[in-house]
Amino acid sequence: MPTIDTYLENHYIHRSNWLRAAVLGANDGIISVSSLAIGIATASTTRDPILLATIASLVAGALSMAAGEYVSVSSQTDIEKADIKREAKELKEMPEMELKMLAQIYEQRGLKKETAMLVAKELTEHDPLAAHVRDELGITDINQANPIQAALASGGAFTAGGILPLLVVLFAPIENMEYYLYGFTIISLVILGAVSAKTGGSSISKAIVRIVIWGTIAMGLSAFVGYIFGVNV
């Protein structure tokens, strides 16, 4: 006999928070590090400047992604906590008004007026704050933000993604390195798109096309800048 917990295992929405941060981090790591390396490679005839720029981009980018994700998600968490606290105060000061508001929410979702009020009363008797947080504020355990988890997922994924173009810079021939970087990056983006879509249960082809197009644009513009300002470094 299936339960709600086992039923939800077949869905992927509970992965959305950490998967979003991980895909964003890996995608940014691959594209930003590759783009910078390509821009330097088009203006350089030696490996050292490219390697230095790639390592600096990898380290700074990973720390920036982790810190930025932590700060932004923490801000979201602070807002959620403030709203929950405000809702608890309103439930204490005007319970009847809050009960009517909850019933109206259920009416708008398609329940009859009498049924909506009955549901609101029963949920209020069980756990009024949980009912209002979920149905009035839209905050659930599934979509509630976790700053540490998001920061680790984003920073770690950026590092993993950024290491891939670093390997190209280390081992590929210096001549035409920008083309090696582009080719290897496209392969990496295809794999990332497929893995993220598979993990999230969405369309693989759509994810691959989206991530490759925007990655190509970013690297193309970086190479263009390198050619425009190309000097031997």
Side-chain angles (χ1 to χ4, degrees):
M1 181 68 180
T3 64
I4 186 63
D5 293 327
T6 57
Y7 176 75
L8 288 176
E9 289 178 359
N10 296 323
H11 297 266
Y12 301 93
I13 188 63
H14 59 283
R15 302 178 181 177
S16 60
N17 283 327
W18 66 263
L19 182 59
R20 177 196 62 82
V23 171
L24 175 64
N27 180 71
D28 198 20
I30 294 171
I31 293 178
S32 63
V33 175
S34 291
S35 297
L36 180 60
I38 287 173
I40 300 297
T42 55
S44 176
T45 57
T46 59
R47 189 183 305 273
D48 289 346
I50 308 173
L51 183 60
L52 177 61
T54 303
I55 294 175
S57 174
L58 175 59
V59 174
L63 295 175
S64 175
M65 285 293 293
E69 195 72 28
Y70 180 83
V71 171
S72 63
V73 175
S74 293
S75 298
Q76 178 184 340
T77 303
D78 291 342
I79 293 172
E80 291 174 353
K81 288 180 179 178
D83 270 347
I84 293 173
K85 186 177 180 180
R86 189 178 299 110
E87 192 64 32
K89 182 180 179 182
E90 291 173 352
L91 281 168
K92 185 177 180 180
E93 294 177 348
M94 44 185 182
E96 291 298 324
M97 178 64 71
E98 288 297 307
L99 178 63
K100 292 179 181 179
M101 291 297 297
L102 192 60
Q104 288 180 22
I105 291 173
Y106 299 140
E107 276 189 71
Q108 293 175 356
R109 292 181 181 177
L111 293 181
K112 294 180 180 179
K113 187 173 183 178
E114 297 78 9
T115 306
M117 180 56 73
L118 179 61
V119 171
K121 286 181 178 179
E122 291 189 4
L123 288 176
T124 298
E125 290 173 1
H126 175 68
D127 190 339
L129 182 58
H132 283 268
V133 167
R134 179 183 61 251
D135 295 321
E136 186 178 335
L137 303 181
I139 301 173
T140 66
D141 291 337
I142 290 177
N143 62 23
Q144 202 161 18
N146 186 322
I148 296 295
Q149 183 187 60
L152 291 175
S154 184
F158 185 99
T159 301
I163 286 175
L164 299 177
L166 176 60
L167 294 175
V168 178
V169 173
L170 284 171
F171 299 110
I174 187 65
E175 187 177 356
N176 296 323
M177 179 176 286
E178 60 269 31
Y179 298 109
Y180 289 104
L181 281 165
Y182 174 75
F184 190 79
T185 299
I186 291 299
I187 294 173
S188 300
L189 290 176
V190 168
I191 295 173
L192 174 62
V195 170
S196 63
K198 182 69 176 177
T199 304
S202 57
S203 171
I204 293 178
S205 58
K206 185 177 179 180
I208 290 175
V209 170
R210 181 172 56 225
I211 202 169
V212 168
I213 288 177
W214 285 106
T216 299
I217 292 173
M219 290 183 290
L221 290 175
S222 297
F224 182 64
V225 171
Y227 279 117
I228 291 178
F229 299 98
V231 292
N232 290 332
V233 293

